[in-house]
Amino acid sequence: MVSPVFIGPGYSLCCTIVSAVGVIFLFILGALFQAENGQLMHGEPDEVPKDPKAVARAAFIAGAIYAVLFGFCTCQFKLGQRRRARESI
C-alpha cells in the first residue's frame, strides 16, 4: 500500500514552523504596504515601490501559499506520528 507520508517527521516539523513564520511575516508586511506605512514608502525613488497596493496583494498571495504549505506540512507531521504509533504497537 502506498503511504500518504511524503516527508519525514523532522522535515515536516521544520517546514511547519518555517511556514507559520512566513504566513505571519507576509500578512504583516502586506498589511503595512496596504496601509502605505511611512517607513516602507521612504527612500531612494528607484527603491520605493510605485504601487504599494500591488506589493501588498503579492504579499497576501505569498502568505496564502505559505498557509497552504503550512496545512500540508502539518498533515504530514500528524500522519507521520500516527504511522510511528501504529508501528510501535
Side-chain angles (χ1 to χ4, degrees):
M1 184 165 107
V2 176
S3 173
V5 178
F6 302 111
I7 303 172
Y11 293 128
S12 60
L13 181 60
C14 179
C15 181
T16 300
I17 293 168
V18 169
S19 297
V21 171
V23 167
I24 293 167
F25 175 77
L26 286 167
F27 279 125
I28 289 173
L29 191 63
L32 290 172
F33 272 109
Q34 184 90 23
E36 297 185 20
N37 182 285
Q39 294 296 320
L40 297 175
M41 298 292 106
H42 291 341
E44 298 296 320
D46 59 335
E47 294 176 355
V48 177
K50 303 214 183 324
D51 187 7
K53 302 290 184 190
V55 175
R57 191 173 32 248
F60 289 139
I61 290 170
I65 293 170
Y66 266 89
V68 170
L69 187 63
F70 174 80
F72 172 75
C73 292
T74 301
C75 287
Q76 288 293 297
F77 183 71
K78 297 283 187 187
L79 286 172
Q81 281 184 326
R82 226 187 282 166
R83 186 171 96 187
R84 282 191 308 276
R86 269 196 321 256
E87 290 174 353
S88 68
I89 294 178

